[in-house]
Amino acid sequence: MIPGARLIILGRQGAGKGTQCVRLSRHFVVPHISTGDMLRAAVREQTDLGVMAKEIMDAGGLVSDDIMIGIVRDRLKAADADTRGYILDGFPRTIDQAVALDAITEELAKPIDVVLDLNVPREIVLERISSRRVCRDCGTNYTSDGHDPTPWICDVCGGDVLQRDDDTPDSVNRRLDLYEEQTFPLMRHYGDQGRLAVVNGVGKPSSVFDRLVKAVDNSRT
Ligand code: AP5
């Protein structure tokens, strides 16, 4: 049986983290823990967290470190993540979140195997995001060819396929600027720990997936 894994995936908005995590999660048989998906579920359910987070997310801002660290700490202690590991997508996003995650993994005595930096240039992610459509119910990604069917029904669950509320040009540019300011410094943090693997995220999704699996396998040799 394939061994589990404890992975972090970094990369600009639209780099394909969510797309690849679906495949990596199946390959390594570990849960895909996406803080963006967790927040979007809270928004749909109109919990206190969701009501607070929606405005921040739509504007392309970041939810506070304290809240995000608490959510991830609880999630990593759940039985599935504790047993086989996980792929963390969207967390950490700031140095404070990375330092808190170092402390959580140390407390659990289960260190991260490797941090994957899915590297895609800004001009390419802007194109990908402008044509991204997402199922409101199950989160499956689709790519628009400029002629969206109305209504567009998800092949997987029958939900409505729409553009994300935060995929407006202003919000996307703010998220990309915040990525350079707040998240890019994590490359150095994890590089200094000897855990960082930079992977080219341009090309067919299947080729990108092969590169990611190779990077994880290499980190274990
Ligand atoms: P989150 O959901 O994490 O969004 P994001 O970081 O903006 O990332 P994306 O979902 O936009 O990109 P992706 O890399 O997953 O790309 P995808 O696979 O969809 O976070 C949303 C918000 O929540 C944040 O803005 C923030 O407000 C809040 N938040 C979340 N975590 C937080 C935290 N830790 N702290 C504070 N706030 C937090 O791919 C994009 C498109 O490209 C798709 O259409 C896809 O089909 C296509 N595509 C993928 N791969 C390829 C390929 N190889 N070739 C061509 N097209 C491709």
Side-chain angles (χ1 to χ4, degrees):
M1 189 182 185
I2 191 151
R6 287 183 294 275
L7 310 175
I8 294 173
I9 189 158
L10 301 176
R12 287 191 174 87
Q13 289 70 12
K17 301 180 297 293
T19 303
Q20 293 298 331
C21 282
V22 172
R23 295 163 183 242
L24 290 168
S25 163
R26 278 194 212 117
H27 181 85
F28 290 108
V29 198
V30 293
H32 168 203
I33 300 179
S34 157
T35 46
D37 286 349
M38 289 162 96
L39 291 171
R40 280 185 286 278
V43 169
R44 271 198 306 277
E45 288 157 20
Q46 299 191 320
T47 63
D48 291 347
L49 168 67
V51 171
M52 181 276 299
K54 179 162 174 41
E55 204 176 324
I56 298 171
M57 292 168 76
D58 286 354
L62 290 178
V63 175
S64 83
D65 286 339
D66 287 352
I67 291 175
M68 297 313 301
I69 290 165
I71 292 174
V72 170
R73 179 185 288 114
D74 290 347
R75 182 63 186 88
L76 295 192
K77 288 180 179 168
D80 57 348
D82 192 48
T83 311
R84 284 199 50 87
Y86 46 80
I87 309 171
L88 260 181
D89 166 12
F91 186 98
R93 252 180 163 92
T94 64
I95 286 286
D96 283 353
Q97 292 181 12
V99 169
L101 181 63
D102 289 346
I104 294 167
T105 53
E106 203 171 305
E107 182 192 322
L108 298 172
K110 292 189 170 165
I112 297 292
D113 297 328
V114 63
V115 178
L116 301 160
D117 170 26
L118 191 56
N119 195 343
V120 179
R122 185 164 175 142
E123 57 277 15
I124 296 182
V125 299
L126 282 169
E127 277 170 29
R128 288 185 185 177
I129 291 179
S130 70
S131 53
R132 172 168 58 188
R133 302 291 180 271
V134 179
C135 172
R136 188 171 52 187
D137 293 338
C138 72
T140 297
N141 267 340
Y142 294 88
T143 302
S144 168
D145 61 2
H147 301 95
D148 294 6
T150 44
W152 189 341
I153 302 298
C154 176
D155 299 333
V156 176
C157 76
D160 288 326
V161 176
L162 305 164
Q163 188 157 34
R164 261 170 53 173
D165 289 343
D166 62 347
D167 277 352
T168 60
D170 282 353
S171 169
V172 171
N173 276 307
R174 172 134 194 255
R175 278 148 63 202
L176 286 168
D177 289 344
L178 272 177
Y179 185 82
E180 308 298 333
E181 277 167 35
Q182 307 260 10
T183 311
F184 200 72
L186 301 192
M187 306 302 165
R188 177 135 190 217
H189 180 84
Y190 289 117
D192 288 349
Q193 293 182 1
R195 293 185 208 278
L196 184 69
V198 180
V199 175
N200 177 7
V202 180
K204 285 191 301 186
S206 57
S207 311
V208 176
F209 172 71
D210 291 343
R211 286 177 214 143
L212 288 166
V213 170
K214 201 168 166 192
V216 176
D217 291 344
N218 286 344
S219 75
R220 292 170 153 161
T221 53

